[in-house]
Amino acid sequence: SAVISQKPSRDICQRGTSLTIQCQVDSQVTMMFWYRQQPGQSLTLIATANQGSEATYESGFVIDKFPISRPNLTFSTLTVSNMSPEDSSIYLCSVVPQEIDTQYFGPGTRLTVL
Amino acid sequence: AQTVTQSQPEMSVQEAETVTLSCTYDTSESNYYLFWYKQPPSRQMILVIRQEAYKQQNATENRFSVNFQKAAKSFSLKISDSQLGDTAMYFCAFMKHGGSNYKLTFGKGTLLTVNP
C-alpha cells in the first residue's frame, strides 16, 4: 500500500472564499484521484489528477470551481473555489500505487462552509 | 457502465457474532476487481478485502471473507467474530481490469453497528 497524508484535516470557511487541500504520498504512484463525500452519502469522483498536465474532470465538475494540480508523482492539491454551504463535504484523495490495481485513500478533509 | 447495489442501508450485529453484508453489481466486463472498503467515524476509507474476478477462490483476510458468485454478479462480505471496532460504513466497489483507468464505482454503502 502507500502512506497518504492530507492537509488540513478539517476547516471551517466563510462563503465566497477558497481552500486548498494537499495530498502527499510516501512513494511514487501511478494515479491520483480526488473525491467528494457529502454527508451520509457515498463517494463521488471529482477528477483524476494527471502529473504535469490538466486534470480530467467528471461530469458535473469544472476546473474553475475545483482547480487541481499534480506537479510530481507524489503530490497533488485540490482547491475548492468561491465556496458556498453546498460545498460542505469530506474531500478525499486516493492513489493507485505502481503495479498494484487498487485505490488507497487518504484520511480526508472535512470542510464546513458557513 | 457499471453499477453497484448495496440493498441494506443499515445492519446491526451483536459482538462476537457473524454478519453478512450484501452487494450485487452489473457489468458487461469479463475481467475486473471487486473491493470492500470500511469507513469508520474517523472518516478514513480503509481497504478491507479485494477479489480478482478471474480467481474462483474467495478472498479471505483474517475475520473477513467474501462469497463471490460471478455468474450471479454477487459479492457479499462476511465478518466473523464481530468486534466493536468493526462499527463503520461499508462500501462495495468495482474496478475494471486493464487499461489505465483504475476508476472505482461505489455502492451507496451499508452502515454496520456492532452492539456490546
Side-chain angles (χ1 to χ4, degrees):
Chain A
S1 63
V3 177
I4 307 164
S5 61
Q6 277 187 240
K7 291 182 187 179
S9 60
R10 62 176 59 225
D11 208 341
I12 301 173
C13 301
Q14 296 297 318
R15 180 196 299 262
T17 62
S18 298
L19 176 72
T20 295
I21 303 168
Q22 298 180 2
C23 179
Q24 178 75 56
V25 195
D26 69 340
S27 58
Q28 293 185 350
V29 296
T30 303
M31 306 287 284
M32 295 183 80
F33 300 95
W34 286 99
Y35 289 85
R36 181 175 72 184
Q37 186 179 26
Q38 294 177 306
Q41 304 293 314
S42 186
L43 280 71
T44 301
L45 181 63
I46 298 172
T48 304
N50 299 310
Q51 193 263 328
S53 64
E54 191 171 290
T56 304
Y57 289 85
E58 298 298 305
S59 175
F61 297 96
V62 295
I63 187 171
D64 290 346
K65 176 66 175 176
F66 296 102
I68 288 171
S69 77
R70 187 181 172 193
N72 56 51
L73 292 176
T74 63
F75 183 79
S76 178
T77 65
L78 167 75
T79 299
V80 186
S81 303
N82 188 25
M83 288 184 286
S84 67
E86 291 71 33
D87 294 319
S88 297
S89 293
I90 296 171
Y91 291 86
L92 300 110
C93 72
S94 73
V95 306
V96 176
Q98 294 178 350
E99 300 181 13
I100 300 176
D101 293 345
T102 300
Q103 283 194 30
Y104 294 91
F105 287 82
T109 296
R110 183 182 296 276
L111 170 62
T112 302
V113 184
L114 302 177
Chain B
Q2 288 68 232
T3 60
V4 176
T5 302
Q6 294 178 249
S7 59
Q8 306 151 313
E10 295 187 36
M11 293 191 72
S12 62
V13 65
Q14 292 300 120
E15 197 175 5
E17 293 187 348
T18 296
V19 63
T20 299
L21 309 184
S22 300
C23 173
T24 59
Y25 58 96
D26 190 24
T27 184
S28 58
E29 302 289 335
S30 59
N31 209 359
Y32 47 87
Y33 300 97
L34 294 163
F35 305 87
W36 279 98
Y37 287 91
K38 162 186 175 180
Q39 188 178 38
S42 65
R43 79 176 171 265
Q44 171 126 34
M45 289 280 285
I46 301 165
L47 176 68
V48 175
I49 203 163
R50 180 180 102 149
Q51 175 79 44
E52 293 95 333
Y54 62 87
K55 289 187 177 179
Q56 292 187 340
Q57 186 172 6
N58 289 322
T60 299
E61 288 287 342
N62 300 313
R63 297 183 294 107
F64 299 88
S65 62
V66 298
N67 183 4
F68 174 48
Q69 302 289 329
K70 190 172 184 179
K73 294 181 181 174
S74 171
F75 182 61
S76 60
L77 175 70
K78 185 172 83 170
I79 305 174
S80 303
D81 186 25
S82 297
Q83 301 176 359
L84 296 178
D86 295 333
T87 292
M89 195 74 154
Y90 286 80
F91 292 97
C92 178
F94 173 102
M95 178 191 288
K96 191 171 72 169
H97 183 273
S100 57
N101 190 306
Y102 301 105
K103 288 185 181 179
L104 287 170
T105 301
F106 284 96
K108 292 185 182 298
T110 296
L111 179 60
L112 175 67
T113 301
V114 180
N115 298 309

